[in-house]
């Protein structure tokens, strides 16, 4: 039978290998199934990551029987590159593959016997898990005893056995070890036991941590795992939470675990997404921290050669980022467990963001990895940098087109062709702005430059800021009737009655202003609710055809209405929860009444709605129709004009990466006034930071009220809002003025510069500064 077994063995070896990881060839029968060197000595060797043939995927040893690239599966993490494309083949791609199908009837009895043996070997036996009787209380008692006696042998053996295989993990942690399959809402695990074991491991020695890592290697390299259905996902879910992955030395092993999870099927990913929502928040945050540290470590590699070369680990960061994408999907599956900023990796603010952005634009989704494919990981600062640089490139391209057009027509070009020049009169600000934008649609993507009629000010940024400020203030005034101010929520919402052509042009102007503000990095003082920015990104790219669903939020909720009309939202919530007879006690019908500018308006929510009573059975329908009418239908024309105005300027692939909350930050900035950060970032011309006048100045600023501080910010920068990145990112400069105590401070808002005369004392400086900031409007030269 020796020759028969040899034939069967060769039959199995000729199959395509699709294992995610490949073990080393063991020179001696040691327990950890690795080569004769232990893993510690392998990590300390500097040259084991050298350019060798077929290194081990875990430790880099050269004895690993890894196949050549053309023989490997696309799921093999040792294949260089980011894509999961099929392996490269030298065969003619246009030839159709026709497998040779042997005639079973003509086979000799020996071949038939081989087939029967092979078939029998493929029959999976019922999984047999080891028996584990330990409980959480017994484990904790054993840990306390180990700490007391300083003898950790029993605990170490426990961890060594636990993480040595997937079957051991499932045997200990599964509530029902013999259960097959899994539910989305319950991983069927003793999670409290998992938490206890991981928490205890944090306080144990590094030697036990190394033992755990060796056992995890064994579990990942284990062949022919005989598990119940979905137990593999359960084991990976437990391994992912292990605290040993918080150290740099565990990075190669963590990389393979992350890659293992990234290569799972969509169904398994769905399980993980739902199970992540079940984790305690501090455990979920710890998991995010481990993956973030791993990405940062690989992106900014240390110089001590403690990690393998970047060229040999190109799959590390994509695998880790895909795992973060699962957590991000879990966070958005229902009410957000974590604030979206907790998934930011601020270290990525310092990479070549534009190169990453161009890679994202230039290649397909599987051709080249880019962080822009996973925008949740990029901070708002990084996205602002990308958006600003992309806007600058568009400005240059549009200015170049204008120059080429002038030269082609043999006209003499002038400097004005490089700018969007807005010339307005203060007395006719809105009308002049409307006319200028209507006549210069082709120039909207050029650098903005504003001139006020009759004023000699040269716009280096300050006039633009004031134009935005005054125009927003005038358009949102109640006499225009375009927006309704709700005092309870302190925000504006679109008026339902302004649908004539003139008013739609003004809504379009507001959209253009918002687009120009983002495009030119200007902060606006707008008070729109969050749903406005969701509508603005519905969809984030303007559709090619005229779609009536533009700016429509699907299935708006009471939380959305609560941002605008909290009293109405509260009433509707009470209606849904009312336990009495709605029809008899409330007397509502299918119509809605709103008061705008002290004028009540009534609208039918369905035909003949005034005669249809709202009952206990129909109240949910009534609330849904109410929300859809207030937030979508009643303002559809107005918001379409607003939407197209914004995207006429701001259309960019970079906009796809932004969340609605991030668009709001880019448009409106933040409210946080941190003058300590501003003081740290301040530059001085003619003064030193420790001069008496400067020290008195900052003391005066600290003593101002919040309203006066905002007026000071408006005085020196042209806006009372703090840009993205905080006050520490502002370019603020204090210049020495004349030694005249009767002079007022001056500001150059184009450059965020304050000209501060030398004042004799605290009271004099405060008097002059407050006078200046309370009486500052307009630009002039004497």
């Amino acid at each position: 039978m020796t020759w028969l077994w040899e034939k069967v063995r060769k039959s199995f070896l000729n199959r395509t290998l699709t294992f995610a990881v490949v073990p080393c060839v063991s020179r001696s029968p040691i327990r950890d199934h690795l080569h004769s060197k232990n893993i510690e000595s392998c990590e300390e060797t500097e040259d084991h990551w050298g350019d060798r043939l077929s290194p081990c995927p875990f430790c880099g040893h050269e004895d690993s029987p890894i196949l050549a690239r053309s023989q490997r599966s696309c799921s093999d993490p040792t294949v260089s590159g980011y894509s999961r494309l099929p392996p490269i083949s030298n065969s003619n791609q246009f030839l159709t593959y026709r497998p040779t199908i042997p005639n079973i009837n003509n086979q000799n009895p020996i071949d038939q016997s081989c087939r029967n043996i092979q078939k029998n070997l493929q029959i999976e036996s019922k999984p047999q898990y080891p028996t584990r009787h330990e409980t959480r209380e017994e484990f904790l008692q054993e840990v306390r005893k180990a700490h007391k006696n300083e003898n950790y042998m029993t605990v170490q053996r426990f961890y060594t056995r636990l993480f040595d295989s997937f079957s051991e993990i499932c045997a200990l942690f599964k509530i029902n070890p013999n259960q097959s399959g899994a539910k989305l809402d319950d991983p069927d695990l003793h999670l409290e036991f998992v938490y206890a074991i991981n928490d205890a491991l944090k306080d144990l020695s590094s030697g036990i941590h190394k033992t755990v890592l060796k056992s995890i290697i064994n579990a990942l390299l284990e062949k022919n795992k005989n598990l119940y259905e979905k137990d593999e996902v359960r084991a990976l879910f437990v391994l992912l939470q292990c605290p040993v992955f918080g150290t740099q030395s565990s990075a190669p092993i963590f990389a393979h675990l992350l890659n293992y999870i990234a290569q799972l099927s969509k169904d398994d990913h769905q399980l993980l997404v739902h199970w992540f929502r079940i984790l305690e928040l501090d455990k979920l945050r710890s998991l995010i921290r481990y993956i973030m540290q791993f990405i940062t470590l690989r992106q900014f590699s240390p110089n001590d050669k403690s990690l393998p070369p970047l060229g040999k680990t190109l799959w590390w960061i994509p695998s880790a980022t895909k795992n973060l994408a699962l957590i991000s999907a879990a966070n958005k599956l229902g009410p957000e467990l974590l604030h979206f900023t907790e998934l930011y990796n601020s270290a990525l603010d310092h990479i070549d963001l534009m190169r990453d952005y161009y890679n994202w634009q230039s290649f397909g989704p599987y051709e080249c990895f880019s962080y822009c494919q996973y925008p949740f990981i990029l901070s708002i600062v990084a996205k602002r940098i990308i958006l600003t640089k992309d806007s600058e490139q568009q400005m240059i391209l549009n200015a170049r087109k204008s120059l080429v057009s002038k030269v082609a027509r043999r006209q003499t070009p002038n400097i004005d062709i490089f700018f969007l020049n807005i010339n307005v009169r203060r007395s006719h600000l809105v009308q002049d702005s409307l006319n200028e934008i209507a006549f210069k649609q082709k120039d909207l993507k050029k650098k903005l430059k504003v001139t006020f009629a009759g004023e000699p000010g040269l716009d280096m940024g300050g006039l633009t800021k004031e134009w935005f400020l005054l125009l927003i203030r005038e358009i949102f005034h109640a006499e225009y009737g375009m927006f309704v101010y709700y005092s309870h929520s302190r925000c504006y919402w679109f008026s339902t009655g302004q649908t004539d052509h003139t008013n739609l042009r003004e809504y379009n102007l507001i959209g253009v202003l918002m687009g120009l503000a983002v495009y030119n990095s200007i902060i606006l003082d707008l008070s729109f609710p969050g749903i406005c920015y969701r509508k603005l990104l519905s969809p984030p790219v303007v559709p090619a055809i005229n779609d009536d669903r533009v700016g429509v939020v699907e299935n708006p909720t009471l939380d959305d209405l609560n941002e605008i009309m909290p009293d109405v939202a509260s009433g509707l919530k009470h209606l849904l929860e009312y336990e009495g007879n709605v029809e008899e006690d409330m007397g509502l019908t299918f119509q809605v009444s709103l008061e705008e500018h002290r004028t009540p308006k009534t609208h039918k929510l369905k035909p003949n709605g005034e005669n249809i009573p709202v009952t206990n059975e129909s109240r949910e329908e009534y609330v849904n129709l109410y929300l859809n009418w207030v937030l979508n239908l009643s303002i559809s024309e107005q918001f379409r004009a607003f939407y197209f105005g914004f995207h006429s300027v701001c259309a960019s692939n970079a906009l796809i990466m932004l969340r609605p909350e991030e668009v709001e930050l880019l448009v409106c900035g933040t409210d946080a006034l941190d003058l300590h950060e501003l003081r740290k970032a301040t530059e001085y011309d003619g003064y030193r930071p420790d001069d008496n006048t400067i020290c008195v100045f900052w003391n005066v600023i600290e003593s101002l009220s919040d309203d006066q501080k905002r007026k000071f910010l408006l005085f020196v920068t042209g806006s009372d809002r703090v840009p993205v990145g905080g006050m520490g990112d502002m370019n603020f400069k204090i210049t020495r003025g004349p030694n005249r105590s009767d002079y007022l401070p001056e500001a150059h808002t184009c450059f965020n510069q304050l000209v501060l005369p030398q004042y004799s004392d605290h009271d004099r400086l405060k008097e002059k500064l407050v006078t200046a900031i309370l009486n500052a409007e307009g630009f002039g030269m004497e």
Side-chain angles (χ1 to χ4, degrees), residues 44-172:
E44 294 169 359
T45 305
E46 291 188 358
D47 62 346
H48 73 274
W49 293 110
D51 189 12
R52 301 185 181 185
L53 182 62
S54 300
C56 172
F58 284 142
C59 59
H61 196 267
E62 62 181 344
D63 295 332
S64 173
I66 302 179
L67 302 177
R69 178 185 175 91
S70 60
Q71 298 171 294
R72 278 182 274 168
S73 165
C74 60
S75 64
D76 190 342
T78 60
V79 177
S80 299
Y82 303 112
S83 65
R84 297 179 58 190
L85 299 175
I88 299 173
S89 175
N90 295 325
S91 61
N92 191 334
Q93 60 178 327
F94 298 103
L95 294 179
T96 304
Y97 172 67
R98 292 185 175 88
T100 302
I101 303 176
N103 188 349
I104 299 178
N105 296 326
N106 296 332
Q107 287 183 340
N108 57 48
I110 297 178
D111 290 336
Q112 187 64 40
S113 299
C114 293
R115 292 174 57 83
N116 292 336
I117 293 174
Q118 180 176 341
K119 182 178 180 180
N120 292 333
L121 290 174
Q122 287 179 330
I123 298 176
E124 294 186 359
S125 60
K126 183 178 179 180
Q128 296 293 328
Y129 289 174
T131 303
R132 301 296 297 264
H133 298 293
E134 298 93 331
T135 64
R136 177 177 176 272
E137 290 71 22
E138 291 172 348
F139 168 77
L140 293 176
Q141 184 178 357
E142 197 64 42
V143 170
R144 286 192 293 268
K145 180 196 278 189
H147 283 304
K148 181 178 180 180
N149 300 330
E150 296 184 357
N151 185 350
Y152 298 94
M153 291 300 297
T154 304
V155 175
Q156 185 170 0
R157 283 195 298 269
F158 174 85
Y159 279 110
T160 301
R161 180 185 175 187
L162 169 61
F163 291 109
D164 195 61
S165 69
F166 284 15
S167 59
E168 288 282 356
I169 294 173
C170 293
L172 183 63

Side-chain angles (χ1 to χ4, degrees), residues 62 129 208 259 331 473 493 502 509 598 649 721 725 752:
E62 62 181 344
Y129 289 174
I208 297 180
N259 184 74
N331 195 43
R473 185 184 299 171
W493 191 240
T502 301
L509 170 62
R598 299 181 180 180
V649 183
R721 307 282 294 183
N752 297 344

